[in-house]
Amino acid sequence: MTKEDFDNYYKKTEGRLFNYKKILNDIEMIDLEIAQIENEYVGCSGISYDSEKTGKTYNISKSVEQEIIRKEERINYLKYTKRKLEIEKIRIEIAVNNFTIQQKELFEILYCSRRVRISRNEILRKMHISKSTYYELRNSLVVSALNSIYPTILRDEIYKKFA
């Protein structure tokens, strides 16, 4: 793997770690949207002649049928999106489970904080570490997550070295 490829994967992994909190919120919002769609029901309404054709047609569709089909398509799309987010969440959780105690503490402070961005100095004070230790710890955290999230990359690199 080239240095550019590694940097690219490093940035993607760190972006995924920063989005962890957002993923949890997105899953909850999708659940609420699915519940809202399932509870909505318009049913029968007045006849609309806007879409009525003047020629002979064999396409006879009812408004209730169309509504149910649209609802099912929307619900299926939301479930698909939710499943993708759940898979992403599980991958990040697997990576977090492989962290050391200090890495988990840094992950909680840096990537899962409620504030938008915590300053480096505040992290140094909370964890009682030096600046160089912070950078080493952050780098090892992201590399560990990279190896957990993209296991094929690590396997391919090991294979290249021994082949």
Side-chain angles (χ1 to χ4, degrees):
M1 177 187 319
T2 64
K3 173 81 168 122
E4 295 157 355
D5 291 341
F6 178 78
D7 289 342
N8 190 20
Y9 280 115
Y10 187 94
K11 289 176 185 177
K12 282 182 184 179
T13 303
E14 193 164 33
R16 286 174 137 180
L17 293 175
F18 274 116
N19 284 336
Y20 179 70
K21 193 81 166 177
K22 184 181 179 303
I23 289 171
L24 299 176
N25 292 335
D26 287 347
I27 290 172
E28 287 183 36
M29 292 301 291
I30 289 174
D31 283 336
L32 291 173
E33 192 171 344
I34 289 172
Q36 181 181 1
I37 289 172
E38 288 174 345
N39 288 332
E40 286 180 355
Y41 183 71
V42 175
C44 297
S45 61
I47 297 174
S48 173
Y49 294 103
D50 296 337
S51 63
E52 193 69 30
K53 305 252 187 301
T54 56
K56 189 173 184 177
T57 182
Y58 297 103
N59 183 14
I60 301 171
S61 59
K62 309 290 185 221
S63 62
V64 176
E65 291 172 356
Q66 290 176 344
E67 177 187 354
I68 290 173
I69 290 170
R70 281 193 305 269
K71 280 175 61 173
E72 286 300 315
E73 287 173 350
R74 181 71 180 148
I75 288 172
N76 287 339
Y77 173 75
L78 288 171
K79 285 182 179 179
Y80 169 76
T81 305
K82 178 184 171 188
R83 185 65 187 146
K84 281 177 51 178
L85 290 172
E86 287 173 340
I87 290 169
E88 179 71 16
K89 179 186 126 195
I90 291 169
R91 283 185 175 168
I92 293 173
E93 287 174 350
I94 289 170
V96 170
N97 288 336
N98 292 332
F99 290 164
T100 64
I101 294 171
Q102 276 192 321
Q103 288 174 336
K104 283 182 182 180
E105 184 180 358
L106 181 62
F107 175 77
E108 291 294 325
I109 294 171
L110 183 61
Y111 299 106
C112 294
S113 69
R114 294 178 188 195
R115 291 180 24 205
V116 177
R117 192 79 161 142
I118 293 181
S119 70
R120 182 184 62 234
N121 290 332
E122 191 173 339
I123 294 170
L124 298 178
R125 278 194 305 272
K126 282 184 178 181
M127 292 185 68
H128 307 292
I129 56 175
S130 67
K131 191 194 281 189
S132 61
T133 306
Y134 164 76
Y135 284 117
E136 289 172 7
L137 188 60
R138 183 175 172 188
N139 186 41
S140 67
L141 181 146
V142 175
V143 169
S144 175
L146 189 149
N147 290 333
S148 296
I149 293 173
Y150 302 108
T152 56
I153 295 172
L154 179 63
R155 186 184 66 226
D156 293 344
E157 284 300 309
I158 292 171
Y159 180 76
K160 284 179 187 176
K161 286 184 181 178
F162 289 114

